[in-house]
């Protein structure tokens, strides 16, 4: 089985359903009780609707439904994107030929109206970068090894923070220094790399803390 199928991202329906189940259990509502409240809010839902969503049998959830669910459970829209891992934004029927994903952290920020831009990645964008000879991810791979994470996770995190890879951000900042002697440039590059590693590590750890 190839890497893409082994690490298939969850659909929007699966992510929302898993969080709906946690929210319902926190309120100590049965599926029937939750369906009754949702129905009163305007959706003609029965227990089977709740069961299908919580079990991951629904691939997607439209925005209107999500808004009503948030109102019924008295939570914010980002609360339905809790957890770790990417979210598949395109239909599973098109997967893996047409996979478009975003991270849950970015979706939560975007749904909350944060200043962070929503970065959407196609299926091959990161993998092709990691495969390509001379691709700008060397520093990302090195940090991934230090953190014990897949390189893909570090590349995605870097793009979430800077809209570019760690290596690309390092090279951009080094280029801003202008002409420098070789020895000084190497020293400054090392210093910048350490600063960026610290920024990105904090970004990743903060995201994991929020998911937890």
């Amino acid at each position: 089985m190839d890497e893409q199928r082994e690490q298939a991202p969850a659909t929007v329906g699966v992510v929302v359903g898993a969080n709906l189940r946690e929210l319902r259990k926190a309120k100590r509502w049965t599926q029937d009780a939750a369906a009754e409240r949702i129905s009163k809010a305007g959706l003609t839902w029965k227990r089977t609707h709740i069961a299908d969503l919580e079990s991951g049998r629904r691939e997607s959830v439209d925005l209107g439904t999500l808004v009503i669910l948030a109102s019924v459970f008295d939570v914010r829209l980002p609360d339905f994107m809790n957890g770790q891992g990417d979210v598949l934004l395109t239909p599973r029927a098109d997967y893996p030929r047409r996979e478009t994903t975003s991270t849950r952290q970015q979706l939560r920020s975007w749904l909350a109206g944060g200043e962070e831009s929503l970065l959407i990645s196609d299926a091959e964008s990161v993998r092709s970068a990691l495969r390509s000879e001379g691709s700008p991810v060397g520093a990302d791979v090195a940090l991934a090894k230090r953190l014990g994470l897949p390189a893909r996770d570090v590349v995605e995190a870097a793009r979430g923070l800077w809209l570019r890879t760690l290596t690309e951000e390092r090279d951009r900042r080094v280029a801003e220094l202008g002409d420098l002697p070789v020895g000084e440039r190497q020293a400054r590059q090392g210093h910048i790399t350490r600063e960026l590693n610290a920024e990105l590590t904090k970004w990743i750890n903060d995201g994991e803390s929020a998911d937890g």
Side-chain angles (χ1 to χ4, degrees), residues 24 31 34-35 38 45-54:
R24 178 180 62 78
Q31 289 182 339
I38 294 170
W45 276 27
K46 298 181 180 180
R47 186 197 65 79
T48 52
H49 289 83
I50 301 286
D52 285 346
L53 187 56
E54 291 185 352

Side-chain angles (χ1 to χ4, degrees), residues 2-202:
D2 61 29
E3 178 185 356
Q4 188 172 35
R5 292 186 180 277
E6 288 177 354
Q7 300 180 358
T11 64
V12 172
V14 167
V15 174
V16 171
N19 284 292
L20 176 65
R21 181 173 182 270
E22 294 302 315
L23 292 168
R24 178 180 62 78
K25 291 173 66 176
K27 287 185 174 294
R28 300 182 182 278
W29 291 352
T30 64
Q31 289 182 339
D32 284 317
E36 181 179 354
R37 287 171 169 81
I38 294 170
S39 183
K40 287 180 179 179
L43 295 176
T44 56
W45 276 27
K46 298 181 180 180
R47 186 197 65 79
T48 52
H49 289 83
I50 301 286
D52 285 346
L53 187 56
E54 291 185 352
S55 64
R57 289 193 290 270
R58 291 188 59 175
E59 185 173 88
S60 62
V61 178
D62 63 69
L63 179 60
T65 296
L66 195 59
V67 169
I68 291 176
L69 291 176
S71 176
V72 170
F73 283 87
D74 192 25
V75 297
R76 305 177 310 143
L77 291 180
D79 292 333
F80 287 102
M81 289 294 133
N82 286 335
Q84 300 183 31
D86 291 349
V87 181
L88 180 65
L89 303 177
T90 45
R92 180 69 71 183
D94 288 342
Y95 176 85
R97 184 172 58 87
R98 285 183 168 180
E99 174 193 346
T100 303
T101 65
S102 183
T103 67
R104 298 195 198 193
Q105 180 173 319
Q106 287 183 328
L107 285 171
R108 287 194 297 271
S109 176
W110 188 70
L111 288 170
E115 295 182 358
E116 179 181 355
S117 298
L118 180 61
L119 181 65
I120 298 177
S121 303
D122 64 81
E124 291 300 319
S125 61
V126 176
R127 275 184 293 276
S128 61
L130 293 173
R131 287 196 301 264
S132 299
E133 182 178 355
S135 62
V137 293
D140 304 69
V141 173
L143 179 59
K145 290 180 180 179
R146 282 180 49 195
L147 299 178
L149 295 173
R152 180 177 185 272
D153 289 357
V154 173
V155 171
E156 289 286 15
R159 286 177 171 171
L161 180 56
W162 300 302
L163 299 182
R164 55 182 64 86
T165 69
L166 168 61
T167 309
E168 290 169 337
E169 179 64 14
R170 180 202 64 193
D171 292 346
R172 183 188 70 81
R173 297 192 189 187
V174 170
E176 289 180 345
L177 299 175
D179 292 332
L180 293 173
V182 175
E184 183 178 350
R185 175 173 291 275
Q186 290 177 341
R188 296 290 292 274
Q189 176 172 305
H191 178 69
I192 289 172
T193 301
R194 288 189 292 273
E195 286 186 334
L196 294 177
N197 282 346
E199 288 180 30
L200 187 55
T201 299
K202 183 178 184 301

